[in-house]
Amino acid sequence: MEFVRPLEPILIIDDVKEIRDYLNQILTDLGFEDILESADFSSAKPIMNNKPPGVIFVDVDLPDSNGADILEYINSAYPHTHVVMCSGHNSLENVQNTWEMGAKGFIAKPFNTKKVDTVMKRLEIIE
């Protein structure tokens, strides 16, 4: 019998391929296997409809949408999905806005394994 992590599948939404690749590698190194990727929000919607994710890492600044709109959509359509907002702008206001909008986490770019591991462990406790 295969052990299924409740947080998977994981969806990464970021318009920069190198960032998606790097976060995917970190998650893989942490033992996660079911990782999906999308370059923008419009192409992420069919992925979510086909395979609702347990966790979504989403860039706050996407070319076709912004963090608030994405979070509102996900919280409405997928209330059991944990959203982790990602941004290169690690201001206190940015972090506070993320929590107020209903995100379960915030990671400042650049990522590192420790930051991602800490957020994922926190989400497992919430689960």
Side-chain angles (χ1 to χ4, degrees):
M1 186 170 132
E2 188 177 317
F3 176 71
V4 178
R5 287 178 169 263
L7 298 177
E8 291 183 86
I10 298 169
L11 175 60
I12 301 167
I13 308 172
D14 198 299
D15 56 316
V16 179
K17 182 175 181 356
E18 292 79 10
I19 291 175
R20 292 194 313 270
D21 291 347
Y22 185 56
L23 182 53
N24 191 323
Q25 186 59 53
I26 290 173
L27 290 164
T28 300
D29 291 347
L30 291 172
F32 295 96
E33 297 173 357
D34 195 356
I35 303 167
L36 310 165
E37 296 183 17
S38 177
D40 55 40
F41 189 52
S42 57
S43 64
K45 286 181 180 179
I47 295 170
M48 290 186 276
N49 289 336
N50 186 42
K51 196 171 189 181
V55 177
I56 299 175
F57 286 88
V58 62
D59 185 13
V60 172
D61 300 312
L62 288 171
D64 66 341
S65 192
N66 68 54
D69 292 340
I70 294 169
L71 203 47
E72 185 178 328
Y73 173 82
I74 294 169
N75 286 339
S76 170
Y78 304 95
H80 301 294
T81 296
H82 301 298
V83 179
V84 178
M85 302 301 284
C86 307
S87 177
H89 310 289
N90 190 14
S91 70
L92 179 60
E93 181 182 354
N94 224 352
V95 176
Q96 285 177 329
N97 287 344
T98 297
W99 293 112
E100 289 170 8
M101 291 186 292
K104 299 291 191 284
F106 178 89
I107 293 185
K109 296 176 186 176
F111 305 115
N112 64 43
T113 302
K114 185 176 181 184
K115 285 182 191 177
V116 175
D117 189 38
T118 299
V119 168
M120 294 305 287
K121 284 181 175 161
R122 191 176 310 131
L123 294 179
E124 285 178 341
I125 293 168
I126 293 172
E127 194 66 33

